[in-house]
Amino acid sequence: MEMKQITIKVFGGEQKCASCVNLPSSKETAEWLEAAISRKYPDQLFTIEYIDIFSSVEGENQKFAHQIVEEELFYPVVVINDEIVAEGNPRLKDIYAIMELNGYKDAG
């Protein structure tokens, strides 16, 4: 299977949601995901985008930002291929599974 480069979008805000006080910030989560995924899939390209839902969000990202605020989802919200795959504290196992469905090969 040919690898399809994916973009992982991490939606969140500087201020943590009420239920997420003990968790890392959305931006820290994006950085942690990038480091973990880079170790698991070295030399395989992917992109991590951090999107602040409280700043001016435009285009397709606006739909998700609006949904997070309106439905009071726990953020960070992780979106891959226009699908919400994690809310609050993301599980690496779930994200790895999606990456492998897109052709990424585990280096371990």
Side-chain angles (χ1 to χ4, degrees), residues 70-95:
E70 286 300 303
E71 296 177 20
E72 297 179 357
L73 299 177
F74 296 128
Y75 51 86
V77 170
V78 179
V79 174
I80 300 176
N81 296 337
D82 293 327
E83 188 179 322
I84 294 177
V85 295
E87 182 188 335
N89 193 11
R91 295 181 55 213
L92 281 174
K93 187 177 162 190
D94 298 340
I95 291 168

Side-chain angles (χ1 to χ4, degrees), residues 3 37-46 104-105 107:
M3 186 181 81
I37 293 167
S38 294
R39 279 192 303 274
K40 180 106 168 149
Y41 307 103
D43 305 319
Q44 297 174 65
L45 298 177
F46 66 93
Y104 286 76
K105 302 280 184 256

Side-chain angles (χ1 to χ4, degrees), residues 41-81:
Y41 307 103
D43 305 319
Q44 297 174 65
L45 298 177
F46 66 93
T47 307
I48 297 245
E49 265 182 57
Y50 170 73
I51 296 125
D52 187 329
I53 59 175
F54 299 109
S55 67
S56 55
V57 180
E58 295 177 358
E60 65 183 41
N61 294 334
Q62 190 173 24
K63 176 183 87 172
F64 287 108
H66 183 72
Q67 183 179 355
I68 293 163
V69 174
E70 286 300 303
E71 296 177 20
E72 297 179 357
L73 299 177
F74 296 128
Y75 51 86
V77 170
V78 179
V79 174
I80 300 176
N81 296 337

Side-chain angles (χ1 to χ4, degrees), residues 2-14:
E2 190 177 317
M3 186 181 81
K4 180 179 148 202
Q5 184 177 337
I6 62 172
T7 297
I8 300 166
K9 296 180 180 184
V10 179
F11 290 83
E14 288 300 312

Side-chain angles (χ1 to χ4, degrees), residues 28-42:
E28 290 168 336
T29 298
E31 291 165 358
W32 168 74
L33 279 173
E34 187 163 21
I37 293 167
S38 294
R39 279 192 303 274
K40 180 106 168 149
Y41 307 103

